[in-house]
Amino acid sequence: MSISHPKLLIIQPSHYRSKTDRTIFKTRRRQMVPLALPYLAALTPREWSVTLLDEQLEDIDFDAPVDVVALTAWTLHSPRAYDIATEFRRRGVTVIMGGPHVFFYADEAAEYCDAVGVGEAEPIWTTMLEDAAAGRLKKIYRATPLKELDNLPPPRYDLLDLKKFGPFRTFAVQSSRGCPFVCDFCSERFYLGGRYRWRPVNQMVDEIRRIKNKGSHFFFGESNFGGKKSRAMELMEGLVPLKIRWSTLWSSNLCLDTDFLDLAQKSGVMHVNIGIESIDAETLADMKKGWNKTTRYGEMFDNMRRRDISYSLNFIFGYDDEDPDVYDNTLRFLEEHKVPAAYFNILTPTKGTALFDKMLKAGRIIDPEDIDRWPGQVCHIWPRDCTPGQMEQRIQRMYKSFYGMRSIFHRLPFPKSRSDMASWILNMSERRMAFSSTGNNDFDIY
């Protein structure tokens, strides 16, 4: 039976606190305004009545008068998403699902939903909704990756209650998809469409200009903001007149490019996250990440500091040939260079990567289907020189040491600028997680 005036509820599920604690993770307020919900609403045909719900901030009314429920989920959210789907389907509501999780677990997700969408939403979203309204849904819809990111619709922020995101909210935006690099542990390049693509600068600038009256801080949520340097510089030129503050992720080589950094500073960059992964060159070679030059890390940090750009570093531990002293050596390195913030991660072979296939074949993965389903720094592999529990303890010890007050006061300058303040706020947030009762380092910002 077809539906003439269909009602759509798009939900971003929360997650359970742990594998044993099925309490739903909730917060009263978020700083980051998500992109997925309002963007899916923008892709939705106008004849649909659309409601957006972020479960971290709001409870779900399973008896709401809706015709279709759409769930978008990372693997972390999947156990909760499946429970939500089950409750709605029990009431006769059609449920569809997409997101990064579905890209790798389409058949599994299809068991809980009426249909799932694999890949980028643009080529399949409207078709899925039309088929749902007409009662002719297929189980799996697979998208052909977009060749270009041209004329994407502006997100429907009008459907969100922005008061729930605080007075100093940050808007997540996206100017590119994919990554030009191929790291052996990273699966993002698969579900983001593979080939590195970017949006036309004028369209990106226009979108930010429209959002600016709602807030002046933006987070470019993409794998590598500078994946194509010339295009990134053109975009930053376009940002200069907007007088915004922004944050993003980019690769370490750009921290050695003074022209790039000068323009980034001029355009309002406040914080950058950088995946340097290790201070050991041999480990970087194992990761297929040889462009990270350990001998020039100090120069990178000095370049950022001179331009008042706050930054954070990502590290990965657990490679077979690591020096046993790498944990203490890394902490000393970070304090010596007064690095503002750092994230310490356990090597995790995510589905779809060469690392996953290699470790699965070697019998080194504890439970392949459990990876990324629960929050925190969980060791999913059998390390070569310790037990999984010992690896988790090493990482927890690093967090407590790095975010201890002695380390914070040693590393951070007195907050004289917005970038300095950003570093202090980030350190206080990470300190609360490091010393929480669970100590699970749950970085759920999206």
Side-chain angles (χ1 to χ4, degrees), residues 90-140:
R90 186 178 296 154
R91 291 163 169 78
V93 177
T94 298
V95 178
I96 62 177
M97 184 174 173
H101 175 71
V102 173
F103 188 91
F104 298 108
Y105 295 92
D107 291 336
E108 175 191 282
E111 294 179 13
Y112 296 89
C113 306
D114 294 284
V116 297
V118 181
E120 294 176 296
E122 291 87 353
I124 56 176
W125 179 251
T126 299
T127 301
M128 292 182 71
L129 293 179
E130 289 175 349
D131 288 355
R136 57 170 185 258
L137 273 173
K138 299 184 296 183
K139 265 296 180 182
I140 298 180

Side-chain angles (χ1 to χ4, degrees), residues 11-286:
I11 300 175
Q12 185 165 303
S14 184
H15 59 81
Y16 294 118
R17 289 189 174 272
S18 73
K19 192 172 183 177
T20 55
D21 180 0
R22 293 304 181 97
T23 304
I24 302 168
F25 179 76
K26 306 287 276 188
T27 52
R28 289 190 302 171
R29 183 173 286 179
R30 280 215 221 207
Q31 182 179 347
M32 184 76 71
V33 181
L35 178 59
L37 292 179
Y39 184 65
L40 288 173
L43 293 175
T44 303
R46 289 293 175 175
E47 62 268 22
W48 286 73
S49 173
V50 183
T51 303
L52 306 181
L53 191 147
D54 182 341
E55 195 189 18
Q56 229 176 270
L57 298 171
E58 304 174 72
D59 293 331
I60 298 173
D61 177 6
F62 289 100
D63 295 314
V66 296
D67 301 298
V68 178
V69 167
L71 302 166
T72 176
W74 296 75
T75 298
L76 173 65
H77 309 121
S78 60
R80 176 58 185 162
Y82 293 160
D83 288 347
I84 293 171
T86 299
E87 284 298 317
F88 275 111
R89 293 182 79 196
R90 186 178 296 154
R91 291 163 169 78
V93 177
T94 298
V95 178
I96 62 177
M97 184 174 173
H101 175 71
V102 173
F103 188 91
F104 298 108
Y105 295 92
D107 291 336
E108 175 191 282
E111 294 179 13
Y112 296 89
C113 306
D114 294 284
V116 297
V118 181
E120 294 176 296
E122 291 87 353
I124 56 176
W125 179 251
T126 299
T127 301
M128 292 182 71
L129 293 179
E130 289 175 349
D131 288 355
R136 57 170 185 258
L137 273 173
K138 299 184 296 183
K139 265 296 180 182
I140 298 180
Y141 293 76
R142 298 187 185 274
T144 300
L146 296 177
K147 292 182 178 180
E148 305 294 343
L149 303 182
D150 197 4
N151 294 316
L152 302 186
R156 300 254 343 247
Y157 290 114
D158 59 295
L159 297 177
L160 287 176
D161 181 1
L162 294 179
K163 293 178 182 178
K164 295 180 180 295
F165 298 92
F168 305 108
R169 64 185 74 102
T170 296
F171 283 84
V173 295
Q174 189 178 66
S175 71
S176 68
R177 292 182 192 168
C179 183
F181 300 123
V182 181
C183 304
D184 78 330
F185 55 82
C186 181
S187 60
E188 283 190 14
R189 65 184 186 277
F190 299 112
Y191 60 75
L192 290 177
R195 187 172 59 87
Y196 185 71
R197 297 147 300 153
W198 54 90
R199 296 177 63 186
V201 168
N202 64 321
Q203 295 176 22
M204 193 71 241
V205 171
D206 286 346
E207 180 174 308
I208 292 174
R209 185 180 287 112
R210 283 193 295 269
I211 302 171
K212 187 184 173 187
N213 65 336
K214 300 178 178 69
S216 58
H217 191 188
F218 294 82
F219 173 68
F220 287 88
E222 43 211 81
S223 297
N224 192 336
F225 177 85
K228 184 174 176 61
K229 176 189 164 184
S230 60
R231 180 265 174 192
M233 294 190 73
E234 183 185 354
L235 175 56
M236 291 190 293
E237 288 280 8
L239 297 179
V240 172
L242 300 183
K243 299 185 184 304
I244 63 170
R245 301 292 284 175
W246 57 277
S247 304
T248 193
L249 304 86
W250 68 46
S251 54
S252 63
N253 59 304
L254 293 174
C255 298
L256 298 170
D257 189 320
T258 55
D259 290 339
F260 184 91
L261 294 177
D262 286 342
L263 183 54
Q265 179 189 24
K266 184 180 179 182
S267 67
V269 70
M270 186 165 69
H271 184 90
V272 177
N273 180 254
I274 308 159
I276 71 169
E277 319 306 358
S278 178
I279 60 172
D280 181 77
E282 292 184 7
T283 300
L284 290 170
D286 288 344

